[in-house]
Structure formats: C-alpha cells, structure tokens
PDB file of all heavy atoms in Angstrom:
ATOM      1  N   SER A 138     -99.811  94.834  17.211  1.00 83.00           N
ATOM      2  CA  SER A 138     -98.984  95.319  18.346  1.00 83.00           C
ATOM      3  C   SER A 138     -99.487  96.576  18.597  1.00 83.00           C
ATOM      4  O   SER A 138    -100.247  97.392  18.025  1.00 83.00           O
ATOM      5  CB  SER A 138     -97.413  95.306  18.074  1.00 83.00           C
ATOM      6  OG  SER A 138     -97.244  96.223  17.022  1.00 83.00           O
ATOM      7  N   GLY A 139     -99.009  96.956  19.971  1.00 83.00           N
ATOM      8  CA  GLY A 139     -99.561  98.408  20.479  1.00 83.00           C
ATOM      9  C   GLY A 139    -100.389  98.229  21.668  1.00 83.00           C
ATOM     10  O   GLY A 139    -100.986  97.139  21.902  1.00 83.00           O
ATOM     11  N   PRO A 140    -100.639  99.401  22.264  1.00 85.00           N
ATOM     12  CA  PRO A 140    -101.519  99.244  23.498  1.00 85.00           C
ATOM     13  C   PRO A 140    -102.946  98.962  23.297  1.00 85.00           C
ATOM     14  O   PRO A 140    -103.579  98.426  24.144  1.00 85.00           O
ATOM     15  CB  PRO A 140    -101.368 100.713  24.017  1.00 85.00           C
ATOM     16  CG  PRO A 140    -100.903 101.611  22.904  1.00 85.00           C
ATOM     17  CD  PRO A 140    -100.114 100.759  21.944  1.00 85.00           C
ATOM     18  N   LYS A 141    -103.458  99.105  21.978  1.00 87.00           N
ATOM     19  CA  LYS A 141    -104.832  98.718  21.670  1.00 87.00           C
ATOM     20  C   LYS A 141    -104.921  97.527  20.847  1.00 87.00           C
ATOM     21  O   LYS A 141    -105.737  97.344  20.007  1.00 87.00           O
ATOM     22  CB  LYS A 141    -105.681  99.972  21.050  1.00 87.00           C
ATOM     23  CG  LYS A 141    -105.740 101.068  22.134  1.00 87.00           C
ATOM     24  CD  LYS A 141    -106.548 102.168  21.552  1.00 87.00           C
ATOM     25  CE  LYS A 141    -106.674 103.275  22.570  1.00 87.00           C
ATOM     26  NZ  LYS A 141    -107.466 104.361  22.074  1.00 87.00           N
ATOM     27  N   HIS A 142    -103.855  96.653  20.914  1.00 85.00           N
ATOM     28  CA  HIS A 142    -103.809  95.513  20.021  1.00 85.00           C
ATOM     29  C   HIS A 142    -105.081  94.573  20.114  1.00 85.00           C
ATOM     30  O   HIS A 142    -105.618  94.484  21.260  1.00 85.00           O
ATOM     31  CB  HIS A 142    -102.561  94.734  20.195  1.00 85.00           C
ATOM     32  CG  HIS A 142    -102.491  94.087  21.482  1.00 85.00           C
ATOM     33  ND1 HIS A 142    -102.161  94.670  22.643  1.00 85.00           N
ATOM     34  CD2 HIS A 142    -102.901  92.769  21.962  1.00 85.00           C
ATOM     35  CE1 HIS A 142    -102.180  93.923  23.777  1.00 85.00           C
ATOM     36  NE2 HIS A 142    -102.617  92.745  23.244  1.00 85.00           N
ATOM     37  N   ARG A 143    -105.418  94.053  19.140  1.00 89.00           N
ATOM     38  CA  ARG A 143    -106.514  93.047  19.091  1.00 89.00           C
ATOM     39  C   ARG A 143    -105.942  91.564  19.380  1.00 89.00           C
ATOM     40  O   ARG A 143    -104.778  91.379  19.040  1.00 89.00           O
ATOM     41  CB  ARG A 143    -107.375  93.103  17.788  1.00 89.00           C
ATOM     42  CG  ARG A 143    -108.166  94.446  17.768  1.00 89.00           C
ATOM     43  CD  ARG A 143    -108.749  94.702  16.449  1.00 89.00           C
ATOM     44  NE  ARG A 143    -107.721  95.352  15.496  1.00 89.00           N
ATOM     45  CZ  ARG A 143    -108.026  95.650  14.274  1.00 89.00           C
ATOM     46  NH1 ARG A 143    -109.196  95.580  13.819  1.00 89.00           N
ATOM     47  NH2 ARG A 143    -107.052  96.134  13.665  1.00 89.00           N
ATOM     48  N   PHE A 144    -106.754  90.625  19.757  1.00 89.00           N
ATOM     49  CA  PHE A 144    -106.434  89.334  20.112  1.00 89.00           C
ATOM     50  C   PHE A 144    -105.735  88.702  18.894  1.00 89.00           C
ATOM     51  O   PHE A 144    -106.170  88.750  17.694  1.00 89.00           O
ATOM     52  CB  PHE A 144    -107.585  88.580  20.433  1.00 89.00           C
ATOM     53  CG  PHE A 144    -107.391  87.076  20.721  1.00 89.00           C
ATOM     54  CD1 PHE A 144    -106.760  86.757  21.936  1.00 89.00           C
ATOM     55  CD2 PHE A 144    -107.814  86.098  19.927  1.00 89.00           C
ATOM     56  CE1 PHE A 144    -106.445  85.432  22.174  1.00 89.00           C
ATOM     57  CE2 PHE A 144    -107.669  84.780  20.163  1.00 89.00           C
ATOM     58  CZ  PHE A 144    -106.830  84.411  21.328  1.00 89.00           C
ATOM     59  N   PHE A 145    -104.789  87.858  19.112  1.00 87.00           N
ATOM     60  CA  PHE A 145    -104.084  87.037  18.091  1.00 87.00           C
ATOM     61  C   PHE A 145    -103.945  85.647  18.693  1.00 87.00           C
ATOM     62  O   PHE A 145    -103.423  85.533  19.870  1.00 87.00           O
ATOM     63  CB  PHE A 145    -102.678  87.482  17.782  1.00 87.00           C
ATOM     64  CG  PHE A 145    -101.882  86.711  16.916  1.00 87.00           C
ATOM     65  CD1 PHE A 145    -102.220  86.712  15.436  1.00 87.00           C
ATOM     66  CD2 PHE A 145    -101.067  85.787  17.293  1.00 87.00           C
ATOM     67  CE1 PHE A 145    -101.469  85.827  14.608  1.00 87.00           C
ATOM     68  CE2 PHE A 145    -100.313  85.014  16.409  1.00 87.00           C
ATOM     69  CZ  PHE A 145    -100.565  84.929  15.202  1.00 87.00           C
ATOM     70  N   ASN A 146    -104.416  84.521  18.017  1.00 91.00           N
ATOM     71  CA  ASN A 146    -104.212  83.177  18.462  1.00 91.00           C
ATOM     72  C   ASN A 146    -103.140  82.539  17.770  1.00 91.00           C
ATOM     73  O   ASN A 146    -103.241  82.441  16.480  1.00 91.00           O
ATOM     74  CB  ASN A 146    -105.568  82.496  18.264  1.00 91.00           C
ATOM     75  CG  ASN A 146    -105.577  81.084  18.777  1.00 91.00           C
ATOM     76  OD1 ASN A 146    -104.602  80.433  19.054  1.00 91.00           O
ATOM     77  ND2 ASN A 146    -106.807  80.575  19.032  1.00 91.00           N
ATOM     78  N   PRO A 147    -102.136  82.038  18.336  1.00 91.00           N
ATOM     79  CA  PRO A 147    -101.062  81.450  17.620  1.00 91.00           C
ATOM     80  C   PRO A 147    -101.536  80.145  16.814  1.00 91.00           C
ATOM     81  O   PRO A 147    -100.854  79.863  15.860  1.00 91.00           O
ATOM     82  CB  PRO A 147    -100.043  80.978  18.825  1.00 91.00           C
ATOM     83  CG  PRO A 147    -100.402  81.998  19.844  1.00 91.00           C
ATOM     84  CD  PRO A 147    -101.657  82.263  19.729  1.00 91.00           C
ATOM     85  N   ALA A 148    -102.680  79.533  17.080  1.00 95.00           N
ATOM     86  CA  ALA A 148    -103.166  78.534  16.402  1.00 95.00           C
ATOM     87  C   ALA A 148    -103.445  78.967  15.023  1.00 95.00           C
ATOM     88  O   ALA A 148    -103.365  78.190  13.893  1.00 95.00           O
ATOM     89  CB  ALA A 148    -104.384  77.912  16.951  1.00 95.00           C
ATOM     90  N   TRP A 149    -103.816  80.211  14.766  1.00 95.00           N
ATOM     91  CA  TRP A 149    -104.078  80.817  13.377  1.00 95.00           C
ATOM     92  C   TRP A 149    -102.747  80.739  12.668  1.00 95.00           C
ATOM     93  O   TRP A 149    -102.750  80.343  11.399  1.00 95.00           O
ATOM     94  CB  TRP A 149    -104.625  82.258  13.494  1.00 95.00           C
ATOM     95  CG  TRP A 149    -105.898  82.350  14.270  1.00 95.00           C
ATOM     96  CD1 TRP A 149    -106.874  81.347  14.559  1.00 95.00           C
ATOM     97  CD2 TRP A 149    -106.383  83.612  14.819  1.00 95.00           C
ATOM     98  NE1 TRP A 149    -107.832  81.996  15.259  1.00 95.00           N
ATOM     99  CE2 TRP A 149    -107.575  83.255  15.547  1.00 95.00           C
ATOM    100  CE3 TRP A 149    -105.919  84.852  14.795  1.00 95.00           C
ATOM    101  CZ2 TRP A 149    -108.377  84.269  16.195  1.00 95.00           C
ATOM    102  CZ3 TRP A 149    -106.564  85.865  15.476  1.00 95.00           C
ATOM    103  CH2 TRP A 149    -107.900  85.573  16.224  1.00 95.00           C
ATOM    104  N   ALA A 150    -101.704  81.144  13.272  1.00 93.00           N
ATOM    105  CA  ALA A 150    -100.282  81.089  12.598  1.00 93.00           C
ATOM    106  C   ALA A 150     -99.904  79.529  12.285  1.00 93.00           C
ATOM    107  O   ALA A 150     -99.514  79.386  11.195  1.00 93.00           O
ATOM    108  CB  ALA A 150     -99.335  81.749  13.486  1.00 93.00           C
ATOM    109  N   ARG A 151    -100.140  78.808  13.250  1.00 93.00           N
ATOM    110  CA  ARG A 151     -99.803  77.350  12.965  1.00 93.00           C
ATOM    111  C   ARG A 151    -100.516  76.819  11.832  1.00 93.00           C
ATOM    112  O   ARG A 151    -100.087  76.007  10.998  1.00 93.00           O
ATOM    113  CB  ARG A 151     -99.990  76.558  14.234  1.00 93.00           C
ATOM    114  CG  ARG A 151     -98.970  76.979  15.421  1.00 93.00           C
ATOM    115  CD  ARG A 151     -99.148  75.974  16.611  1.00 93.00           C
ATOM    116  NE  ARG A 151     -98.166  76.430  17.544  1.00 93.00           N
ATOM    117  CZ  ARG A 151     -98.334  77.154  18.583  1.00 93.00           C
ATOM    118  NH1 ARG A 151     -99.514  77.685  18.817  1.00 93.00           N
ATOM    119  NH2 ARG A 151     -97.309  77.425  19.376  1.00 93.00           N
ATOM    120  N   SER A 152    -101.832  77.048  11.706  1.00 94.00           N
ATOM    121  CA  SER A 152    -102.637  76.613  10.583  1.00 94.00           C
ATOM    122  C   SER A 152    -102.172  77.140   9.308  1.00 94.00           C
ATOM    123  O   SER A 152    -101.960  76.394   8.253  1.00 94.00           O
ATOM    124  CB  SER A 152    -104.122  77.104  10.730  1.00 94.00           C
ATOM    125  OG  SER A 152    -104.849  76.775   9.613  1.00 94.00           O
ATOM    126  N   LEU A 153    -101.729  78.428   9.183  1.00 93.00           N
ATOM    127  CA  LEU A 153    -101.263  78.941   7.935  1.00 93.00           C
ATOM    128  C   LEU A 153     -99.863  78.263   7.612  1.00 93.00           C
ATOM    129  O   LEU A 153     -99.516  77.949   6.457  1.00 93.00           O
ATOM    130  CB  LEU A 153    -101.080  80.483   8.060  1.00 93.00           C
ATOM    131  CG  LEU A 153    -102.373  81.215   7.994  1.00 93.00           C
ATOM    132  CD1 LEU A 153    -102.150  82.707   8.250  1.00 93.00           C
ATOM    133  CD2 LEU A 153    -103.072  81.048   6.580  1.00 93.00           C
ATOM    134  N   VAL A 154     -99.016  78.004   8.641  1.00 89.00           N
ATOM    135  CA  VAL A 154     -97.785  77.357   8.431  1.00 89.00           C
ATOM    136  C   VAL A 154     -98.033  76.027   7.788  1.00 89.00           C
ATOM    137  O   VAL A 154     -97.372  75.497   6.849  1.00 89.00           O
ATOM    138  CB  VAL A 154     -96.926  77.259   9.738  1.00 89.00           C
ATOM    139  CG1 VAL A 154     -95.707  76.367   9.564  1.00 89.00           C
ATOM    140  CG2 VAL A 154     -96.464  78.746  10.123  1.00 89.00           C
ATOM    141  N   ALA A 155     -99.013  75.184   8.355  1.00 89.00           N
ATOM    142  CA  ALA A 155     -99.323  73.929   7.895  1.00 89.00           C
ATOM    143  C   ALA A 155     -99.703  73.982   6.419  1.00 89.00           C
ATOM    144  O   ALA A 155     -99.441  73.105   5.639  1.00 89.00           O
ATOM    145  CB  ALA A 155    -100.343  73.335   8.831  1.00 89.00           C
ATOM    146  N   GLN A 156    -100.565  75.046   6.113  1.00 88.00           N
ATOM    147  CA  GLN A 156    -101.104  75.190   4.714  1.00 88.00           C
ATOM    148  C   GLN A 156     -99.865  75.406   3.795  1.00 88.00           C
ATOM    149  O   GLN A 156     -99.803  74.848   2.699  1.00 88.00           O
ATOM    150  CB  GLN A 156    -102.168  76.255   4.592  1.00 88.00           C
ATOM    151  CG  GLN A 156    -103.346  76.091   5.399  1.00 88.00           C
ATOM    152  CD  GLN A 156    -104.320  77.171   5.480  1.00 88.00           C
ATOM    153  OE1 GLN A 156    -104.561  77.959   4.451  1.00 88.00           O
ATOM    154  NE2 GLN A 156    -104.822  77.613   6.637  1.00 88.00           N
ATOM    155  N   ALA A 157     -98.987  76.239   4.088  1.00 84.00           N
ATOM    156  CA  ALA A 157     -97.865  76.538   3.292  1.00 84.00           C
ATOM    157  C   ALA A 157     -96.819  75.490   3.267  1.00 84.00           C
ATOM    158  O   ALA A 157     -96.061  75.366   2.194  1.00 84.00           O
ATOM    159  CB  ALA A 157     -97.179  77.887   3.922  1.00 84.00           C
ATOM    160  N   ASP A 158     -96.723  74.556   4.393  1.00 79.00           N
ATOM    161  CA  ASP A 158     -95.747  73.495   4.263  1.00 79.00           C
ATOM    162  C   ASP A 158     -95.907  72.540   3.222  1.00 79.00           C
ATOM    163  O   ASP A 158     -95.003  71.907   2.796  1.00 79.00           O
ATOM    164  CB  ASP A 158     -95.846  72.807   5.681  1.00 79.00           C
ATOM    165  CG  ASP A 158     -94.873  73.288   6.615  1.00 79.00           C
ATOM    166  OD1 ASP A 158     -93.938  74.145   6.301  1.00 79.00           O
ATOM    167  OD2 ASP A 158     -94.904  72.923   7.720  1.00 79.00           O
ATOM    168  N   ILE A 159     -97.091  72.323   2.690  1.00 77.00           N
ATOM    169  CA  ILE A 159     -97.440  71.371   1.643  1.00 77.00           C
ATOM    170  C   ILE A 159     -97.127  72.082   0.282  1.00 77.00           C
ATOM    171  O   ILE A 159     -97.152  71.370  -0.849  1.00 77.00           O
ATOM    172  CB  ILE A 159     -98.726  70.850   1.658  1.00 77.00           C
ATOM    173  CG1 ILE A 159     -99.762  71.908   1.447  1.00 77.00           C
ATOM    174  CG2 ILE A 159     -98.849  70.016   2.959  1.00 77.00           C
ATOM    175  CD1 ILE A 159    -101.142  71.320   1.351  1.00 77.00           C
ATOM    176  N   THR A 160     -96.680  73.273   0.177  1.00 78.00           N
ATOM    177  CA  THR A 160     -96.341  73.976  -1.124  1.00 78.00           C
ATOM    178  C   THR A 160     -94.860  74.419  -1.084  1.00 78.00           C
ATOM    179  O   THR A 160     -94.131  74.178  -0.095  1.00 78.00           O
ATOM    180  CB  THR A 160     -97.297  75.113  -1.354  1.00 78.00           C
ATOM    181  OG1 THR A 160     -97.023  76.204  -0.561  1.00 78.00           O
ATOM    182  CG2 THR A 160     -98.721  74.717  -1.239  1.00 78.00           C
ATOM    183  N   ALA A 161     -94.444  75.187  -2.116  1.00 73.00           N
ATOM    184  CA  ALA A 161     -93.236  75.749  -2.188  1.00 73.00           C
ATOM    185  C   ALA A 161     -93.322  77.147  -1.646  1.00 73.00           C
ATOM    186  O   ALA A 161     -92.439  77.989  -1.865  1.00 73.00           O
ATOM    187  CB  ALA A 161     -92.741  75.596  -3.531  1.00 73.00           C
ATOM    188  N   CYS A 162     -94.314  77.454  -0.930  1.00 82.00           N
ATOM    189  CA  CYS A 162     -94.392  79.009  -0.496  1.00 82.00           C
ATOM    190  C   CYS A 162     -93.460  79.200   0.738  1.00 82.00           C
ATOM    191  O   CYS A 162     -93.324  78.529   1.600  1.00 82.00           O
ATOM    192  CB  CYS A 162     -95.908  79.146   0.139  1.00 82.00           C
ATOM    193  SG  CYS A 162     -96.275  80.809   0.596  1.00 82.00           S
ATOM    194  N   HIS A 163     -92.866  80.294   0.637  1.00 87.00           N
ATOM    195  CA  HIS A 163     -91.814  80.869   1.664  1.00 87.00           C
ATOM    196  C   HIS A 163     -92.694  81.385   2.780  1.00 87.00           C
ATOM    197  O   HIS A 163     -93.866  82.067   2.582  1.00 87.00           O
ATOM    198  CB  HIS A 163     -90.962  81.981   1.151  1.00 87.00           C
ATOM    199  CG  HIS A 163     -90.257  81.526   0.031  1.00 87.00           C
ATOM    200  ND1 HIS A 163     -88.955  81.028   0.082  1.00 87.00           N
ATOM    201  CD2 HIS A 163     -90.328  81.588  -1.384  1.00 87.00           C
ATOM    202  CE1 HIS A 163     -88.399  80.660  -1.045  1.00 87.00           C
ATOM    203  NE2 HIS A 163     -89.237  81.069  -2.103  1.00 87.00           N
ATOM    204  N   ILE A 164     -92.231  81.249   4.033  1.00 87.00           N
ATOM    205  CA  ILE A 164     -93.033  81.648   5.316  1.00 87.00           C
ATOM    206  C   ILE A 164     -92.057  82.580   6.069  1.00 87.00           C
ATOM    207  O   ILE A 164     -90.913  82.228   6.236  1.00 87.00           O
ATOM    208  CB  ILE A 164     -93.414  80.389   6.120  1.00 87.00           C
ATOM    209  CG1 ILE A 164     -94.144  79.425   5.280  1.00 87.00           C
ATOM    210  CG2 ILE A 164     -94.289  80.875   7.253  1.00 87.00           C
ATOM    211  CD1 ILE A 164     -94.268  78.128   5.886  1.00 87.00           C
ATOM    212  N   PHE A 165     -92.727  83.519   6.525  1.00 88.00           N
ATOM    213  CA  PHE A 165     -91.960  84.460   7.569  1.00 88.00           C
ATOM    214  C   PHE A 165     -93.100  84.734   8.700  1.00 88.00           C
ATOM    215  O   PHE A 165     -94.029  85.414   8.385  1.00 88.00           O
ATOM    216  CB  PHE A 165     -91.627  85.737   6.851  1.00 88.00           C
ATOM    217  CG  PHE A 165     -91.102  86.761   7.902  1.00 88.00           C
ATOM    218  CD1 PHE A 165     -89.868  86.516   8.658  1.00 88.00           C
ATOM    219  CD2 PHE A 165     -91.586  88.088   7.999  1.00 88.00           C
ATOM    220  CE1 PHE A 165     -89.369  87.370   9.438  1.00 88.00           C
ATOM    221  CE2 PHE A 165     -91.148  89.007   8.799  1.00 88.00           C
ATOM    222  CZ  PHE A 165     -90.019  88.672   9.613  1.00 88.00           C
ATOM    223  N   VAL A 166     -92.715  84.219   9.823  1.00 87.00           N
ATOM    224  CA  VAL A 166     -93.697  84.481  11.120  1.00 87.00           C
ATOM    225  C   VAL A 166     -93.000  85.727  11.728  1.00 87.00           C
ATOM    226  O   VAL A 166     -91.938  85.580  12.316  1.00 87.00           O
ATOM    227  CB  VAL A 166     -93.841  83.355  12.055  1.00 87.00           C
ATOM    228  CG1 VAL A 166     -94.761  83.772  13.223  1.00 87.00           C
ATOM    229  CG2 VAL A 166     -94.458  82.214  11.251  1.00 87.00           C
ATOM    230  N   LYS A 167     -93.625  86.890  11.629  1.00 85.00           N
ATOM    231  CA  LYS A 167     -92.963  88.178  12.066  1.00 85.00           C
ATOM    232  C   LYS A 167     -93.164  88.278  13.604  1.00 85.00           C
ATOM    233  O   LYS A 167     -92.144  88.844  14.257  1.00 85.00           O
ATOM    234  CB  LYS A 167     -93.681  89.207  11.305  1.00 85.00           C
ATOM    235  CG  LYS A 167     -93.154  90.650  11.485  1.00 85.00           C
ATOM    236  CD  LYS A 167     -93.723  91.627  10.588  1.00 85.00           C
ATOM    237  CE  LYS A 167     -93.285  92.967  10.873  1.00 85.00           C
ATOM    238  NZ  LYS A 167     -94.102  94.004   9.958  1.00 85.00           N
ATOM    239  N   GLN A 168     -94.254  88.220  14.115  1.00 82.00           N
ATOM    240  CA  GLN A 168     -94.508  88.411  15.464  1.00 82.00           C
ATOM    241  C   GLN A 168     -95.863  87.906  15.937  1.00 82.00           C
ATOM    242  O   GLN A 168     -96.685  87.685  15.107  1.00 82.00           O
ATOM    243  CB  GLN A 168     -94.367  89.978  15.779  1.00 82.00           C
ATOM    244  CG  GLN A 168     -95.641  90.764  15.312  1.00 82.00           C
ATOM    245  CD  GLN A 168     -95.451  92.255  15.707  1.00 82.00           C
ATOM    246  OE1 GLN A 168     -94.752  92.635  16.481  1.00 82.00           O
ATOM    247  NE2 GLN A 168     -96.491  92.977  15.256  1.00 82.00           N
TER     248      GLN A 168
END
C-alpha cells in the first residue's frame, strides 16, 4: 500500500488460498 505501491494481482492471492485449502494451514487475506 501507499503512493508508490507496486502491482498486486488478486490471482496470486487466489492461488495461495487454493494451495492452503488442501492443508490445515490458517489463512488471513489482509489487503
């Protein structure tokens, strides 16, 4: 975040959620 933030693709977050979904890993999508 911030005025000089770098690009973030929500697909990257979705991929990590999918990876964690098959385990017992806790997930927190912050922003």
Side-chain angles (χ1 to χ4, degrees):
S138 60
K141 295 184 180 182
H142 68 277
R143 290 168 280 183
F144 176 75
F145 175 82
N146 187 337
W149 302 339
R151 289 183 178 101
S152 172
L153 288 172
V154 168
Q156 292 172 50
D158 264 349
I159 61 172
T160 70
C162 186
H163 300 275
I164 307 165
F165 173 61
V166 179
K167 186 175 175 183
Q168 67 174 359

